Amino acid sequence: MKLDFRAAGERLSQLSMLRVETAGPIVHLRLDRPAKRNAINDELIAQIHTAFANLPSRSRVAVVSGEGDHFCAGLDLADLQEQDVADGVLHSRAWHAAFDALQWGPVPVIAVLHGAVVGGGLELASAAHLRVAEGSAFYALPEGQRGIFVGGGGAARIPRLIGVARMTDMMLTGRVFDAQAGQAIGLSNYLVADGEGLAKAFELAHRIAANAPLSNFAVTQALPRIADASQGDGLFIEALMSSIAQGDDAAKERVRAFLEKRAGKVSKE
Ligand code: 1HE
């Protein structure tokens, strides 16, 4: 199904806290609330949901970053004061819907992390498919100190990156990981110098955009589901997914190109 790019473009240009720009096959979304360190309030979570549900049909990869000195300070704590228990459940489910739209949307998503990547900011980062961190990045889950719990999918996604034991430590003790430690434990895939995150993300995005779309789809949609399935179910899904991908014309042409020596070999960088 093709989305109407003009309709989607109109919706995207009306977002007040999320700046959306397209550059060829790449759509770049910036959290644009630097005065509040990109803290996510109800409006911003709705805008993130809208944006990922309406990505331009021509975009092949999305890059998410934060304006100002920090990626994201997490939940806007001012919102919490008004909430009762029933509001709280719905609030958490709204975050789930937004980050599900990001994780299970049509394109791979790369998050560029700098400064604070804390609370809901880390939950957002963990929903992305790849994370590029700059040297200034630091990670924390201050929910424990604030008397609350993660509610934006972090309990499901963060242990899949770093394990339950490390997340338990972060939440119970307030432990903060710097960019190097974050890279070592798997919070980021790439660690680059300050100011170089976007360039690295765009380089990766161009590489990803050059893949066959169905391969990217299999990696982002099938792989995590297979990892969550029993081995038997996972292997069955793998067989179906691989036959679908390999039956596509794009795969046939790429394999032919290699056999006819028109495609690159695998080499060390
Ligand atoms: C905020 C928020 C926020 C900043 N909600 N307003 N998240 C936290 O517990 C992190 C709280 N924030 C911080 O620890 C610091 O702000 C930072 C380390 C991120 C940045 O420090 P700094 O010195 O650059 O900025 P600042 O002076 O602390 O903040 C600038 C302004 O942003 C200030 O407002 P102002 O009106 O006084 O200018 C701050 O109040 C405001 N601000 N962060 C509201 N988070 C789905 S559940 C998820 C649960 C969570 O995410 S809990 C973790 C919440």
Side-chain angles (χ1 to χ4, degrees):
M1 184 191 70
K2 286 252 182 262
L3 283 173
D4 178 350
F5 172 64
R6 278 167 305 171
E10 207 169 289
R11 257 174 246 136
L12 297 179
S13 67
Q14 286 164 2
L15 304 176
S16 57
M17 297 180 190
L18 201 57
R19 195 138 51 87
V20 183
E21 289 156 3
T22 52
I26 300 165
V27 56
H28 180 190
L29 303 96
R30 288 172 203 258
L31 306 179
D32 196 11
R33 210 187 168 215
K36 294 289 180 187
R37 307 313 185 244
N38 299 319
I40 301 177
N41 60 7
D42 290 350
E43 182 56 36
L44 181 50
I45 201 71
Q47 293 190 11
I48 291 170
H49 194 171
T50 299
F52 280 97
N54 292 281
L55 292 179
S57 58
R58 65 182 176 185
S59 59
R60 304 283 312 279
V61 182
V63 172
V64 184
S65 66
E67 224 16 61
D69 292 339
H70 301 280
F71 174 66
C72 176
L75 169 68
D76 187 324
L77 293 164
D79 278 2
L80 267 192
Q81 312 214 318
E82 311 294 323
Q83 274 179 23
D84 63 19
V85 173
D87 289 338
V89 176
L90 296 178
H91 177 260
S92 170
R93 297 300 286 157
W95 280 57
H96 292 168
F99 293 171
D100 275 359
L102 184 162
Q103 182 181 358
W104 305 112
V107 301
V109 180
I110 305 173
V112 178
L113 309 177
H114 74 298
V117 184
V118 304
L122 182 52
E123 295 182 285
L124 167 59
S126 69
H129 303 100
L130 288 176
R131 282 156 292 281
V132 175
E134 297 190 349
S136 65
F138 60 96
Y139 310 91
L141 291 169
E143 284 84 345
Q145 283 69 52
R146 310 280 181 236
I148 55 177
F149 188 58
V150 282
R157 293 193 178 99
I158 297 168
R160 286 181 163 83
L161 293 177
I162 63 172
V164 173
R166 287 201 184 92
M167 181 164 173
T168 302
D169 184 13
M170 291 175 84
M171 293 203 71
L172 288 181
T173 69
R175 183 169 184 172
V176 178
F177 288 106
D178 66 15
Q180 280 76 21
Q183 173 73 12
I185 65 174
L187 281 170
S188 56
N189 299 92
Y190 297 86
L191 177 58
V192 298
D194 287 344
E196 292 179 7
L198 274 179
K200 182 69 186 177
F202 272 75
E203 176 205 320
L204 297 170
H206 280 292
R207 228 186 279 175
I208 294 166
N211 294 338
L214 213 39
S215 290
N216 286 344
F217 178 83
V219 172
T220 60
Q221 310 286 320
L223 185 59
R225 288 185 165 92
I226 292 169
D228 281 348
S230 68
Q231 182 161 319
D233 289 347
L235 294 181
F236 183 69
I237 300 168
E238 181 189 83
L240 298 180
M241 191 67 248
S242 67
S243 67
I244 291 169
Q246 119 200 347
D248 193 51
D249 288 347
K252 293 201 174 79
E253 163 50 25
R254 280 157 194 262
V255 171
R256 204 165 37 240
F258 176 77
L259 294 174
E260 292 169 1
K261 308 212 180 299
R262 289 184 282 116
K265 295 184 190 182
V266 176
S267 65
K268 288 190 280 182
E269 306 238 349

